[in-house]
Amino acid sequence: MEQADRYIRFDWAIKRLLRQKANFGVLEGFLTVFLGEEVKIIEILESESNQQTADDKFNRVDIKAKNDKGEIIIIEIQNTRELYYLERILYGVAKAITEHISLGERYYEVKKIYSISILYFDIGKGDDYLYHGQNNFVGVHTNDRLEVTTKEKDALVHKLPAEIFPEYFLVRVNEFNKVAVTPLEEWVEYLKTGCIRPDTEAPGLKEAREKLVYYNMSKAERQAYDEHLSAIMIQNDVLDGAKLEGRMEGRLEGRMEGRLEGRAEGLVEGLAEGHMEVARNMKKLGVPIEIIMQSTGLSEKEIENL
């Protein structure tokens, strides 16, 4: 597959370009493919969780949108490993629910939330590159799905819990190793490689070929974008090096005190040194100390002494 143009990474685009109404077609196509139904975005919602901040390139990039059904869609991109990631996306969904229902409103005003996480780290074991989770109440003995009768605006409505409870999508980008055939596979291929095939018919990707061209950005925007990529590469290299060093030290210790204990200690020491190196690089890039503390777990004094 030839790549006639260099395309902007989705994590950069989603924070700086896809918020513009003129570019909604890219975002709508992405959501249409992943949610399996046509999606129309009516507005981008702002909250504390999806503002542009100095740590964008080191941690998550997210966007919160409302579709024409009044449902809320959260898209989050995570470039580096986070130990309590599942807990954090649960908290983000819960916060979105409470943000969009006012005190005194009835419960039927609660909106369904979709949470899509695009992950560039190994979150755990699994053979697929896409995982989907939603709430269903299934009979323990009958295996049937419960259907709930509710009253909305003086009318009786039958709903499945899945129509109300949040849905979660985890996209494990690095696990995708297929020849892209379907629109979903083409999108994941773009997320992984940055390539968009010239003959694509996938919703949103045709628009992306026009809207997300690297050389359409100004010189200053290209410089900021290149620094963003460089920062991600530095951090990933440092963390990978720390893991490798930890394994090597663990093997040496294992010969002397027992392989299992040695590997564990070596890995901890290697990761600790990795966090120090990440902090040094972030400090050189001018990242605020508060953000370095959050990203590495180091104290303010430890960072100041680097």
Side-chain angles (χ1 to χ4, degrees):
M1 177 176 60
E2 296 183 0
Q3 185 180 4
D5 297 296
R6 180 181 174 187
Y7 297 102
I8 301 165
R9 273 176 57 117
F10 197 58
D11 59 351
W12 182 270
I14 207 169
K15 199 71 172 181
R16 291 160 177 82
L17 300 176
L18 302 186
R19 294 170 174 273
Q20 304 166 12
K21 195 166 186 177
N23 297 334
F24 276 7
V26 178
L27 190 58
E28 289 173 343
F30 169 84
L31 295 172
T32 294
V33 168
F34 274 84
L35 301 184
E37 60 179 88
E38 186 174 359
V39 175
K40 291 294 181 184
I41 299 298
I42 59 172
E43 65 175 311
I44 301 298
L45 303 169
E46 297 292 351
S47 71
E48 294 178 3
S49 63
N50 67 338
Q51 295 288 333
Q52 294 186 35
T53 60
D55 70 334
D56 282 350
K57 55 184 173 290
F58 297 103
N59 192 12
R60 66 183 186 275
V61 181
D62 52 16
I63 195 168
K64 185 163 64 171
K66 180 188 289 187
N67 66 14
D68 56 357
K69 297 179 181 178
E71 299 167 331
I72 309 299
I73 303 167
I74 301 170
I75 306 172
E76 183 175 300
I77 300 177
Q78 183 80 10
N79 287 306
T80 56
R81 183 173 180 81
E82 185 168 329
L83 290 177
Y84 301 105
Y85 187 75
L86 292 181
E87 289 85 347
R88 188 163 66 71
I89 61 174
L90 175 61
Y91 174 79
V93 167
K95 187 175 181 182
I97 293 172
T98 57
E99 281 180 343
H100 297 283
I101 183 169
S102 302
L103 187 65
E105 288 184 331
R106 287 181 287 179
Y107 287 125
Y108 76 75
E109 298 291 344
V110 170
K111 302 302 181 185
K112 184 178 174 72
I113 308 288
Y114 294 93
S115 172
I116 302 176
S117 298
I118 301 170
L119 309 177
Y120 288 89
F121 67 92
D122 182 12
I123 194 172
K125 293 183 179 180
D127 297 326
D128 210 330
Y129 65 88
L130 176 63
Y131 285 84
H132 172 235
Q134 65 181 140
N135 292 82
N136 280 300
F137 291 91
V138 180
V140 174
H141 304 99
T142 59
N143 205 39
D144 66 314
R145 292 200 300 171
L146 178 67
E147 186 175 291
V148 179
T149 301
T150 61
K151 189 175 183 181
E152 293 185 8
K153 299 178 180 178
D154 298 322
L156 289 177
V157 179
H158 297 276
K159 286 184 176 180
L160 293 171
E163 298 177 69
I164 304 168
F165 283 84
E167 289 189 42
Y168 301 88
F169 296 82
L170 300 180
V171 188
R172 304 169 71 216
V173 177
N174 295 335
E175 301 303 314
F176 179 78
N177 294 299
K178 301 177 64 176
V179 175
V181 176
T182 67
L184 175 62
E185 292 168 348
E186 286 191 48
W187 260 104
V188 180
E189 181 180 62
Y190 161 60
L191 295 176
K192 183 174 183 178
T193 67
C195 296
I196 306 174
R197 57 184 64 200
D199 60 345
T200 184
E201 294 294 330
L205 284 181
K206 293 176 68 174
E207 292 84 350
R209 280 181 55 82
E210 301 174 4
K211 307 285 188 179
L212 305 185
V213 179
Y214 173 79
Y215 292 104
N216 284 352
M217 294 192 293
S218 67
K219 184 177 179 180
E221 289 171 332
R222 291 200 301 270
Q223 182 177 354
Y225 175 72
D226 290 341
E227 289 176 356
H228 167 76
L229 296 184
S230 178
I232 290 174
M233 291 175 63
I234 288 171
Q235 189 179 27
N236 287 337
D237 285 346
V238 168
L239 292 176
D240 288 344
K243 291 177 184 177
L244 178 60
E245 185 177 334
R247 292 191 190 101
M248 294 175 66
E249 291 185 15
R251 290 191 182 102
L252 286 173
E253 292 291 329
R255 291 170 187 164
M256 299 172 61
E257 300 177 8
R259 184 172 297 174
L260 184 60
E261 181 181 354
R263 281 180 179 171
E265 290 181 0
L267 182 58
V268 169
E269 291 175 8
L271 288 174
E273 179 58 34
H275 285 149
M276 298 289 282
E277 187 63 27
V278 169
R280 288 190 194 98
N281 289 324
M282 295 174 78
K283 191 174 179 182
K284 288 177 184 178
L285 291 169
V287 177
I289 286 181
E290 293 80 5
I291 293 173
I292 300 177
M293 291 168 61
Q294 292 175 10
S295 300
T296 63
L298 298 177
S299 68
E300 184 175 356
K301 185 175 181 180
E302 287 174 322
I303 294 168
E304 289 176 348
N305 291 335
L306 292 176

